[in-house]
Amino acid sequence: MSANLFELRGIEKSFDGLSVLKGVDLDIHCQEVLTLIGLSGSGKSVLLKMLIGLIRPDAGTIRFDGERVETLSEKEWFAVRKRVGISFQEPALFDSMSVEDNVAYGLREHDQLAGGELTTRVSDSLTQVGLPGIEAMAPASLSGGMRKRVGIARAVAMRPEALIYDEPTEGLDPINVTRVSNLMLGLRSALDITTIVATHNMKAAFDTSDRIAFLHEGKIACAGSPDALIAKHPQAMASFVEKATFRIPE
């Protein structure tokens, strides 16, 4: 495996004539926790969806484990998505299915497991997110924080090499913010996976990340460890960090 799980070069994307990404260059190292920050509408979610082929760039290249993927067909992306899980901002659970069937959905779609192995994998995945024994419950009966964690369990069940989280703590109370942040770190350690997060929660970002990348005006303005970014306080980040990070109470 390459030292970088993902390598993005010159990524551009426009929607209805509005340029959102204007030449993004970014490396995502294997087994790191990389957090993508930026203002609302800066293109964070767009960039995450490009990593699994849900949105295609207008220009630029994306390499996954050394291989170019931005030009893959939908069928070819199928294999990549087995290796990269994503937890969306909204858990997007199927209310007509039990928790067990929701978590098993990806495994069944990819024909990876069946029978007792499938049941065990679902049980193990729910245990890993701190929700053992809820297989028979309906999603509608769960709290918002529990629904988030079931969505993460569905991604974890595929045993991916990378997990992408789009605003994982959005809409959660402080207790659940801490719970989900600790869960992401625990899964990174337990599964030896690369973790990629987009968030507006600056306290969580600076507490949990190996590196932070700041998406500003369509490009990565700066990237580095939390300590390095705070110490250097680049001009592009200064206002954003001061307003978004240091006003959050402990």
Side-chain angles (χ1 to χ4, degrees), residues 27-205:
D27 291 336
I28 301 173
H29 309 324
C30 291
Q31 299 181 356
E32 75 169 338
V33 178
L34 175 83
T35 298
L36 192 63
I37 64 172
L39 298 173
S40 296
S42 61
K44 301 186 299 298
S45 293
V46 171
L47 203 58
L48 294 187
K49 290 174 182 177
M50 285 184 179
L51 299 181
I52 57 172
L54 296 180
I55 294 177
R56 305 298 179 98
D58 297 331
T61 62
I62 301 174
R63 292 185 181 275
F64 171 69
D65 196 13
E67 301 294 328
R68 283 186 63 175
V69 295
E70 81 281 354
T71 58
L72 294 182
S73 67
E74 184 62 23
K75 184 177 180 180
E76 290 169 327
W77 266 109
F78 196 73
V80 176
R81 291 175 189 145
K82 289 183 179 180
R83 302 172 63 187
V84 183
I86 186 166
S87 173
F88 293 103
Q89 183 173 341
E90 294 296 329
L93 303 180
F94 297 102
D95 287 333
S96 60
M97 297 181 180
S98 66
V99 167
E100 179 176 19
D101 288 336
N102 270 280
V103 175
Y105 184 81
L107 295 168
R108 289 180 174 135
E109 284 289 296
H110 291 274
D111 295 322
Q112 288 198 215
L113 293 174
E117 288 183 313
L118 179 66
T119 300
T120 298
R121 177 70 64 83
V122 169
S123 176
D124 289 347
S125 299
L126 286 168
T127 298
Q128 285 179 304
V129 301
L131 296 173
I134 70 164
E135 287 89 338
M137 294 182 69
S141 68
L142 305 179
S143 68
M146 292 174 73
R147 289 172 66 90
K148 288 261 189 183
R149 285 187 281 158
V150 170
I152 295 171
R154 180 173 56 194
V156 166
M158 297 294 294
R159 295 297 184 264
E161 295 166 41
L163 262 176
I164 297 170
Y165 300 88
D166 190 4
E167 295 291 352
T169 61
E170 185 73 14
L172 299 182
D173 60 72
I175 292 174
N176 274 307
V177 167
T178 300
R179 180 179 286 135
V180 170
S181 297
N182 290 339
L183 170 62
M184 290 189 296
L185 291 178
L187 291 173
R188 189 275 288 263
S189 177
L191 302 176
D192 291 328
I193 56 175
T194 303
T195 303
I196 307 151
V197 186
T199 187
H200 286 103
N201 189 314
M202 293 300 98
K203 186 178 187 305

Side-chain angles (χ1 to χ4, degrees), residues 203-221:
K203 186 178 187 305
F206 278 79
D207 283 349
T208 62
S209 305
D210 295 315
R211 287 194 306 136
I212 293 173
F214 180 46
L215 184 59
H216 181 66
E217 296 184 348
K219 296 184 178 182
I220 300 298

